[in-house]
Amino acid sequence: MSKIRILSDSLASQVAAGEVVERPAAVIRELVENSLDAGARHITVEVQRGGTALIRITDDGCGMDREDAMLCMERHATSKIRTKEDLAAIRTFGFRGEALPSIASVSRFRLATREREALSGTEIEIMGGKLSAVKDHGGNHGTVIEVRSLFFNVPARRKFLRTEATEYSHIEQQFRLHAIANPQTAFTLIRDGAVTFHLPGTADMMDRIRGLAGEELVTRLIKLPEVEHLGVGVSGYIGGPGLSRSNRQQQITFLNGRPIESPAINYGLKEGFHNALMKGQYPVTFLFLEMEAQSFDINVHPAKKEVRFHDGFAVREAVARAVKRALETGSKLPTGHVPSLPRLPVAETANVQSELVIPAPSGARAAVSPRAASFLTPSPVISAPRSSVATSPSPPEVTQPASAESASSVEKIPSVAPVRQPEYEEEEDPAKKQMPHFRIIGVLHKLYVLMESTEGLVLMDQHAAHERVNFEKMRKAMEQGGVPSQRLLMPLTLQTSPRDADVLMRNLEALSRLGIEAEPFGPNTFKIEALPTFLKTDDPLAWLDQVIEELQSLSSKSSSLRLGEDMIATTVCRHSVKANDRLALPEIQALLDDLFACEMPYCCPHGRPTLIQMSLNELERKFGRQAP
Ligand code: ADP
Ligand code: MG
């Protein structure tokens, strides 16, 4: 007797359900996609007990006639594709015709649907995959689908469900994805009878993000420039420097409106953010990619979450470019807010001193370069809400210039006051960074500069700040023709392995832009004629070995876009600052000025913070002066 048998339809559906419907959130994904495909303008998602007891999706889409309503419950019944060619150019969310029968095979399922013009509609009930009733339905046009007791007939799967709270959090995440991808559609989420989100349809993506994530996040987002690169359109919003998460939950990306995950996009983001994000941290993104349907394949994952791009490299580059450009230009806007360091109101303009002074502990006064003053904006300034002490999201507030009494709540200390430089102010973008109002207290362990701000205590990592300043200086120099270099009186001879010689040969030009003039000088030998002027090392040959080593590892990992920057960030920069240099007060002030002249002052090129603030509130809490 033969052993092979064709599975019954209901068993086949249950097997498919295992792939399509891994948890309640997946049911919501499939049903909301169907509603969107049906052209719904309003979609309501209702769940009870984390979706395990009930999921009900109500839409005002096109609905179905009786024949379609019966047919849609069959496996591989779909209205969305007919031919092979259709599959290559999918524009709808669904196309496999598997979702409804799969869901119905593992639940108590009810479908009620009516076409707009039809006199009456159809109601169908299915119990664990078996049709139990077909009736007329007199409700509104559109479709209601109810899924009760999910997995009631598959105990093995039910066991795998997590707590109701966890399942609900997946549902909410799924709901957010749909809501962000489709701002024109109104969405409502009802949890155990209470409305959690009620989002009217809007043409403005920001409204939708605000409705879902709150005002605070919105003030910290930067708009991406609309980039089109090698057939990949990129747009959306990203969190400014300093805004990050320890997981990818808020790294949201869409391809043609479909939420997706893809290593190519992750690489692109990593590349774009690479010197603005700490290791192990992930950015906040609302990224929208638009591509021709022919240039990717969505049919690789049962839940259609992953895509395969025909040209993954183009995707990666397009994403990286958009992010880089946004960070460079957008981070100057007041919306590019840094959580640990609230923008501080600049001091009184009525009482401007004629020069910028810092009180040295000895009482001596150090003048500060007028350039620093050009980064000061006149008061009043918009200050973004503070995240460290924020209790509820609030809109940006206009801060009045601090009065002489309130400038320092601790004691009256002469402090750095800004000078207005009219000739600079004309050219400066008014939204440009404001130089915060700091009083330098001293240096801790030859590394951390302690400063008093109107908000509390600010710490600057001297080393990280230096790296940021040098990084930006060198990057600029490199873009403008090369890092200044110094000819050596006696050229050095560098012997290398054949492998190192190869990587050197391929990167002679990049090295020259970094101030290293090297020339082939016999087999596996190079003559080094010039080195960067800033280099502080007693052993240049050992330093060059490190450069080659990093060049080896970078040229395999970095794109052309990044190699130069990475070289500066990893090698050149690190060696331009000596650890534990003791800085005098004027040098500290100069460093601070230089830091605030940077495009991204709040983190070093490796993404570590340069400044940390501890608010008075936080201190008071720590000392028990205030209830936590
Ligand atoms: P797919 O979405 O892959 O086509 P489904 O099993 O999800 O497969 O749905 C089968 C068919 O049922 C769809 O192609 C569509 O014609 C119809 N359908 C499902 N949900 C709705 C809805 N909410 N409104 C109108 N038609 C629907
Ligand atoms: Mg579908």
Side-chain angles (χ1 to χ4, degrees):
M1 230 186 64
S2 76
K3 291 192 210 107
I4 298 178
R5 231 163 281 169
I6 305 283
L7 291 182
S8 74
D9 250 15
S10 70
L11 201 52
S13 290
Q14 281 194 11
V15 173
E19 290 179 356
V20 182
V21 193
E22 70 272 36
R23 58 181 358 146
V27 173
I28 284 157
R29 178 191 63 231
E30 293 294 333
L31 298 183
V32 172
E33 283 186 356
N34 281 347
S35 297
L36 291 164
D37 282 344
R41 310 305 309 149
H42 293 86
I43 299 174
T44 301
V45 177
E46 248 179 286
V47 297
Q48 277 171 21
R49 302 187 49 197
T52 57
L54 169 74
I55 296 169
R56 182 188 292 128
I57 314 280
T58 308
D59 72 45
D60 60 352
C62 64
M64 287 176 269
D65 65 13
R66 174 135 328 169
E67 197 185 338
D68 277 356
M70 298 297 291
L71 203 55
C72 78
M73 301 311 303
E74 303 280 331
R75 272 170 70 68
H76 306 302
T78 178
S79 57
K80 297 165 195 174
I81 54 170
R82 276 162 213 279
T83 64
K84 251 195 356 246
E85 288 69 37
D86 291 347
L87 190 58
I90 292 160
R91 303 220 165 269
T92 52
F93 288 111
F95 52 83
R96 290 204 182 97
E98 248 171 14
L100 293 186
S102 300
I103 296 167
S105 73
V106 292
S107 67
R108 302 181 215 277
F109 185 96
R110 181 177 157 266
L111 161 80
T113 186
R114 183 161 78 82
E115 289 181 301
R116 190 177 291 270
E117 307 302 336
L119 287 177
S120 82
T122 305
E123 187 177 325
I124 294 177
E125 276 177 30
I126 297 176
M127 293 282 277
K130 291 195 185 62
L131 186 69
S132 60
V134 181
K135 304 183 243 188
D136 275 356
H137 162 69
N140 290 340
H141 80 269
T143 304
V144 186
I145 289 180
E146 280 176 12
V147 177
R148 291 180 190 271
S149 324
L150 188 63
F151 300 137
F152 79 98
N153 54 347
V154 217
R157 291 210 64 84
R158 200 166 171 97
K159 265 214 309 265
F160 276 106
L161 290 178
R162 312 295 288 273
T163 62
E164 285 168 18
T166 305
E167 294 302 338
Y168 175 76
S169 78
H170 285 280
I171 289 172
E172 200 178 290
Q173 175 72 358
Q174 187 61 48
F175 178 87
R176 283 173 202 276
L177 293 176
H178 283 305
I180 291 165
N182 304 281
Q184 304 85 347
T185 311
F187 278 93
T188 306
L189 178 61
I190 303 173
R191 177 192 191 180
D192 297 318
V195 174
T196 11
F197 290 103
H198 181 66
L199 308 164
T202 169
D204 182 0
M205 172 63 66
M206 270 298 186
D207 275 351
R208 182 48 59 91
I209 297 176
R210 188 177 291 116
L212 276 168
E215 179 65 35
E216 222 231 307
L217 186 86
V218 167
T219 60
R220 292 158 66 172
L221 293 178
I222 305 175
K223 193 176 189 328
L224 289 177
E226 301 208 353
V227 166
E228 157 95 48
H229 181 65
L230 300 171
V232 188
V234 184
S235 63
Y237 297 88
I238 56 169
L243 183 62
S244 63
R245 301 282 185 263
S246 54
N247 59 40
R248 281 195 221 274
Q249 273 241 321
Q250 285 210 44
Q251 184 182 311
I252 297 174
T253 53
F254 301 94
L255 171 60
N256 297 356
R258 186 198 296 278
I260 50 148
E261 284 161 24
S262 136
I265 296 175
N266 293 346
Y267 275 123
L269 287 173
K270 220 169 145 194
E271 216 163 285
F273 273 101
H274 95 289
N275 59 53
L277 216 56
M278 249 187 281
K279 263 217 175 78
Q281 290 284 304
Y282 298 93
V284 174
T285 70
F286 300 94
L287 195 68
F288 297 87
L289 302 191
E290 289 293 330
M291 289 173 80
E292 291 284 340
Q294 287 82 359
S295 45
F296 60 88
D297 186 1
I298 191 77
N299 204 6
V300 289
H301 187 272
K304 294 163 283 181
K305 268 200 304 213
E306 276 170 32
V307 282
R308 197 175 290 141
F309 293 111
H310 297 320
D311 185 359
F313 191 73
V315 173
R316 174 176 164 170
E317 286 278 311
V319 170
R321 269 168 201 242
V323 169
K324 263 173 83 81
R325 242 199 261 165
L327 287 175
E328 280 164 15
T329 53
S331 60
K332 287 174 195 146
L333 298 172
T335 49
H337 167 72
V338 172
S340 54
L341 189 80
R343 267 145 213 280
L344 304 158
V346 282
E348 57 275 40
T349 40
N351 189 14
V352 186
Q353 284 161 295
S354 58
E355 54 167 7
L356 207 50
V357 288
I358 341 163
S362 63
R365 299 188 138 204
V368 169
S369 64
R371 194 166 55 83
S374 66
F375 292 95
L376 305 168
T377 41
S379 309
V381 294
I382 306 289
S383 81
R386 267 160 266 150
S387 72
S388 49
V389 289
T391 46
S392 64
S394 59
E397 63 200 44
V398 174
T399 314
Q400 288 307 318
S403 72
E405 283 75 46
S406 65
S408 164
S409 49
V410 185
E411 56 181 283
K412 283 205 179 169
I413 324 162
S415 54
V416 182
V419 177
R420 295 179 70 179
Q421 293 265 324
E423 65 270 39
Y424 285 105
E425 256 174 33
E426 303 306 325
E427 318 158 11
E428 289 296 343
D429 178 353
K432 209 158 180 167
K433 290 181 280 292
Q434 305 115 31
M435 169 90 176
H437 188 65
F438 294 149
R439 187 182 70 86
I440 298 166
I441 303 167
V443 182
L444 187 71
H445 286 284
K446 290 196 271 181
L447 180 58
Y448 302 108
V449 179
L450 304 182
M451 295 176 285
E452 185 194 62
S453 73
T454 45
E455 313 282 328
L457 176 70
V458 175
L459 288 150
M460 173 170 70
D461 179 329
Q462 188 182 306
H463 202 268
H466 242 132
E467 283 206 5
R468 164 56 65 185
V469 168
N470 284 337
F471 174 75
E472 292 205 5
K473 268 191 200 152
M474 275 175 231
R475 186 175 58 185
K476 206 181 237 161
M478 209 171 106
E479 281 161 7
Q480 292 167 352
V483 169
S485 71
Q486 198 166 24
R487 302 234 134 242
L488 302 176
L489 283 176
M490 292 282 289
L492 298 168
T493 318
L494 180 71
Q495 300 273 359
T496 67
S497 66
R499 185 166 161 266
D500 288 352
D502 182 55
V503 71
L504 268 179
M505 280 305 286
R506 278 188 285 117
N507 291 290
L508 286 179
E509 218 222 281
L511 288 175
S512 139
R513 275 184 287 134
L514 292 171
I516 304 168
E517 298 291 347
E519 206 176 273
F521 192 62
N524 304 332
T525 309
F526 290 82
K527 197 163 68 176
I528 309 297
E529 313 228 43
L531 287 171
T533 17
F534 58 79
L535 189 65
K536 290 185 181 173
T537 173
D538 307 324
D539 189 353
L541 282 177
W543 179 75
L544 280 165
D545 277 343
Q546 287 175 30
V547 171
I548 296 170
E549 205 174 291
E550 268 160 68
L551 207 55
Q552 285 283 17
S553 74
L554 288 176
S555 50
S556 59
K557 285 196 303 237
S558 302
S559 67
S560 56
L561 187 83
R562 226 175 91 173
L563 184 68
E565 272 201 355
D566 272 350
M567 279 299 291
I568 314 177
T570 55
T571 321
V572 187
C573 224
R574 196 166 294 164
H575 294 270
S576 67
V577 192
K578 268 198 181 151
N580 300 337
D581 274 353
R582 191 185 285 280
L583 293 187
L585 203 60
E587 289 170 306
I588 294 174
Q589 184 61 50
L591 178 59
L592 207 56
D593 294 344
D594 286 346
L595 185 64
F596 277 94
C598 284
E599 282 177 358
M600 260 188 243
Y602 300 109
C603 60
C604 84
H606 316 284
R608 279 181 290 112
T610 52
L611 293 156
I612 289 175
Q613 171 155 290
M614 212 181 266
S615 68
L616 283 174
N617 260 329
E618 212 173 325
L619 289 172
E620 277 169 14
R621 248 180 292 127
K622 288 210 160 91
F623 282 111
R625 289 169 165 270
Q626 195 185 311

